[in-house]
Amino acid sequence: MDIHTTKKLNNGVGIPYLGLGVFLCNEGDETNNVVRWAIEAGYRHIDTASMYGNEKSVGLGIRQSGAARKELFVTTKLKKDDMRDGTQMQAFEKSLKLLQLDYVDLYLIHWPVAGKTRESWKVMEKIYESGRARAIGVSNFIERHLDQLLQDAKIIPAVNQIELHPHLSQQTLAAYCEKLGVACEAWSPLGGTGGKILDEPVLKKIADKYGKSVAQVILRWDLQRGIIAVPKSTHRARIKANTELYDFELSPDDIKAINDLDQDPQRIEWGDPSLIGF
Ligand code: A2P
């Protein structure tokens, strides 16, 4: 296993297990730099969203990196407003234009929106059939949302990207996704900006044992669970350090100790998708 190792999605497309997330990276030099630094550090997977407001800088960073398009895996997402306004196709085309790309590797419905998800999925299917997204999927869907989508979907989502970290390890939902053939991806795998997970004593103890950082232990835990993760950092050294995951293996006891941190699940500020209808 190394940074190029991919997980095979349900349509045969490979997604690198590790990607760079750019939520809360400012449009302009900040995003531009992190994308270039990540590609220099070996990342081939970049995860953005129209809601992040930084697709233009992601596109520029990709261009400046000089990496061949076909070596990269780029994800972006359809935001709630475009689902409510019926502007899904225009939104996708705008994302492509900002990213300066002819296609994305993965296009996701960012959040379920009551009454708008089914029609949005039909647009996603059209985009997939046009070849301008190599895979389509969803984000922040719980079991009920997936079941409802599957009732009349022609295409099964390739991915469900959800909040997942040691304080919300999502074992039930991840297993459900796996059963449906939907790959599970972790957003805010390190617990998000300003989160407390990186100071968690149980994780510190495990990290010291392996001579690794807490961030590396968490990302290795994702890897060993078969979860795709897109950690964010604006620091070049951390972007690089977050790739150093392939020279150690967590023991089953340590995996269990990390899983047990979920006994009192805690979400980041973005709300609970289980409160959203379909
Ligand atoms: P920064 O951007 O200042 O490096 P998530 O991916 O869970 O949303 O978490 C991102 C948060 O974790 C950011 O606040 C980021 O801060 C921080 N972070 C990312 N990588 C590391 C690391 N290796 N060590 C410490 N903090 C990190």
Side-chain angles (χ1 to χ4, degrees):
M1 255 199 167
D2 62 24
I3 193 167
H4 300 299
T5 305
T6 56
K7 182 175 179 102
K8 209 183 217 194
L9 299 176
N10 60 17
N11 65 351
V13 167
I15 181 171
Y17 277 99
L18 184 72
L20 178 79
V22 295
F23 178 48
L24 297 182
C25 290
N26 295 314
E27 171 83 313
D29 287 349
E30 185 167 81
T31 299
N32 196 347
N33 285 336
V34 297
V35 169
R36 267 197 353 265
W37 293 338
I39 295 171
E40 270 170 43
Y43 289 75
R44 290 295 174 266
H45 173 183
I46 310 288
D47 182 276
T48 184
S50 60
M51 193 269 272
Y52 303 168
N54 57 16
E55 289 169 306
K56 189 167 174 210
S57 307
V58 168
L60 195 60
I62 288 173
R63 290 255 154 166
Q64 290 170 342
S65 76
R69 172 67 186 96
K70 65 175 184 338
E71 281 180 22
L72 298 175
F73 192 101
V74 181
T75 300
T76 194
K77 311 184 192 88
L78 174 67
K79 66 176 184 296
K80 290 193 265 190
D81 286 349
D82 287 307
M83 294 168 72
R84 290 193 191 105
D85 296 346
T87 48
Q88 296 91 337
M89 189 58 90
Q90 292 95 314
F92 176 69
E93 279 159 5
K94 186 171 171 204
S95 287
L96 281 187
K97 200 163 165 211
L98 288 169
L99 288 162
Q100 299 185 57
L101 298 177
D102 301 327
Y103 69 92
V104 292
D105 297 276
L106 180 62
Y107 195 47
L108 302 178
I109 286 188
H110 206 147
W111 278 86
V113 174
K116 295 291 174 189
T117 304
R118 200 168 266 127
E119 97 186 33
S120 298
W121 190 249
K122 292 207 185 309
V123 181
M124 304 288 286
E125 290 177 331
K126 269 200 193 122
I127 290 168
Y128 178 71
E129 280 159 4
S130 77
R132 291 183 300 165
R134 293 175 67 224
I136 52 173
V138 296
S139 183
N140 300 299
F141 275 39
I142 59 165
E143 290 86 342
R144 169 168 56 80
H145 299 136
L146 289 166
D147 288 344
Q148 283 163 333
L149 187 78
L150 289 176
Q151 274 174 18
D152 62 355
K154 272 199 288 179
I155 297 167
I156 298 175
V159 162
N160 186 18
Q161 186 182 108
I162 55 175
E163 179 181 348
L164 191 159
H165 45 69
H167 285 159
L168 187 71
S169 64
Q170 301 266 28
Q171 291 170 70
T172 311
L173 181 52
Y176 196 69
C177 289
E178 173 91 31
K179 196 178 98 186
L180 296 176
V182 178
C184 188
E185 231 187 296
W187 64 257
S188 277
L190 305 177
T193 299
K196 307 248 179 308
I197 291 177
L198 297 175
D199 300 323
E200 176 64 64
V202 171
L203 294 174
K204 275 192 167 167
K205 207 167 145 204
I206 295 173
D208 288 347
K209 191 166 95 185
Y210 292 94
K212 287 287 178 177
S213 70
V214 169
Q216 289 163 337
V217 163
I218 295 172
L219 296 171
R220 180 74 204 187
W221 170 71
D222 288 318
L223 206 55
Q224 287 183 222
R225 291 179 64 198
I227 305 278
I228 303 148
V230 289
K232 169 256 179 188
S233 179
T234 47
H235 293 87
R236 191 173 195 165
R238 288 178 177 172
I239 289 171
K240 173 90 176 76
N242 291 348
T243 70
E244 292 162 3
L245 312 175
Y246 310 101
D247 56 355
F248 73 116
E249 186 171 348
L250 297 168
S251 70
D253 284 351
D254 290 329
I255 297 271
K256 183 175 179 314
I258 302 172
N259 289 344
D260 286 349
L261 293 173
D262 184 59
Q263 277 161 4
D264 175 22
Q266 288 162 37
R267 287 185 184 275
I268 302 174
E269 65 268 33
W270 296 104
D272 183 348
S274 69
L275 304 174
I276 302 170
F278 201 69

